[in-house]
Amino acid sequence: MIPGRFAANLDWLYPERAYVDRIAAARADGFAAVEMLQPHLQHEAELAARLAGLRVALINAPAGDWAAGERGLMALPGREDEFRELTRCGLALAVRLGAPVMHLMSGIAEDGPETRATWLANLRWAAEQAPAGLTLTVEPINRRDMPGYFLHRQAQALELLATLGSPRVKLQLDLYHCRVSEGGESLGHLRRALDLGLLGHVQLAGVDGRHEPLADEYAAELALLAERAWPGSVGLEYRPRGDTSAGLAWLSPASG
């Protein structure tokens, strides 16, 4: 049985199946929760029907024209109206699917005074729109995998969140992205986010190829989450080396 804190990322796991069929596969493997990066691209009624009995741990808000290379609009000056429209759509969908967390992607933009001001103003507006019980998250994403992404370092994210000062917005700490960006270190960054009360969601993948982690690759981080009784979810956002179900064997020794 998959420990309850883990959520199957339906955009990455079970790639050999149609999207909605991945839900049944995750359920069969023992997942109690899933996360979705682009649920707005699916037929909502069918998606909701298939999800019955599974918890939706997180969704992403629509992130712009993905096929054209957009990865969110939050830090992009001049795109505020589009950002607000996409965020409203995401919030409404999160409510209908019962997701307690929604990730807002920052976008491809260089860090600077104008992009920071735009990011903060957009996120402040989004936090004001979020209904009670829904947490917004922002995620530093490494620039090797996503060149030019605005939010890419943990210190940068924590500095901006401190400036924002909203209890409605927390950090989405992807341990894979953190290790790639921060020279292999992730435990200290995880502890800092916990100490600050800013940890909203966790994701992971093996650093080597973004596949399944090694059995003990994140043992210390998972042990820390258990020790602190952190109540959130850990999304499995990796590219399976082969059969997804067979690859889940790494969870037995690593989950604690």
Side-chain angles (χ1 to χ4, degrees):
M1 180 64 69
I2 304 295
R5 76 162 58 250
F6 293 103
N9 187 299
L10 297 181
D11 294 72
W12 285 76
L13 302 187
Y14 310 102
E16 71 283 356
R17 299 174 183 265
Y19 195 90
V20 293
D21 292 336
R22 298 174 190 182
I23 298 169
R27 181 183 285 110
D29 279 334
F31 283 101
V34 298
E35 60 178 27
M36 294 175 283
L37 307 185
Q38 299 192 76
H40 56 283
L41 298 181
Q42 307 302 315
H43 187 274
E44 185 181 334
E46 182 179 12
L47 187 64
R50 299 283 191 106
L51 284 166
L54 280 179
R55 180 168 50 88
V56 178
L58 167 141
I59 68 166
N60 276 15
D65 189 342
W66 194 271
E70 291 184 337
R71 297 295 184 266
L73 306 179
M74 194 156 62
L76 278 57
R79 305 289 298 277
E80 289 86 353
D81 288 345
E82 295 166 85
F83 169 79
R84 290 187 177 198
E85 180 181 356
L86 295 176
T87 299
R88 288 190 187 101
C89 290
L91 289 171
L93 183 57
V95 170
R96 291 195 296 269
L97 294 178
V101 182
M102 187 178 83
H103 172 215
L104 289 165
M105 294 194 73
S106 296
I108 307 298
E110 286 303 318
D111 195 351
E114 186 177 16
T115 50
R116 285 192 169 217
T118 301
W119 189 93
L120 285 165
N122 278 331
L123 189 52
R124 186 171 290 111
W125 173 87
E128 292 170 353
Q129 310 309 307
L134 179 62
T135 296
L136 302 179
T137 58
V138 295
E139 176 190 16
I141 296 177
N142 81 79
R143 287 186 163 185
R144 184 187 72 185
D145 289 4
M146 199 171 286
Y149 195 73
F150 169 76
L151 196 69
H152 63 286
R153 304 284 290 189
Q154 299 298 317
Q156 174 198 20
L158 293 179
E159 178 187 353
L160 284 164
L161 288 176
T163 300
L164 182 72
S166 172
R168 311 294 293 278
V169 184
K170 295 194 175 184
L171 180 71
Q172 182 166 316
L173 204 168
D174 186 313
L175 299 170
Y176 163 79
H177 287 304
C178 184
R179 287 194 178 186
V180 172
S181 292
E182 314 284 350
E185 207 283 326
S186 59
L187 182 60
H189 291 290
L190 181 64
R191 181 176 289 110
R192 186 171 301 110
L194 285 164
D195 289 345
L196 292 170
L198 285 175
L199 189 65
H201 190 71
V202 174
Q203 292 173 320
L204 56 76
V207 172
D208 183 14
R210 202 170 182 177
H211 298 304
E212 292 91 342
L214 301 174
D216 60 351
E217 191 165 352
Y218 294 110
E221 287 85 351
L222 294 173
L224 178 62
L225 293 175
E227 175 189 323
R228 298 288 186 91
W230 179 69
S233 296
V234 177
L236 306 187
E237 192 185 44
Y238 58 75
R239 184 183 302 107
R241 288 186 174 86
D243 179 73
T244 298
S245 300
L248 294 170
W250 73 271
L251 277 169
S252 297
S255 57

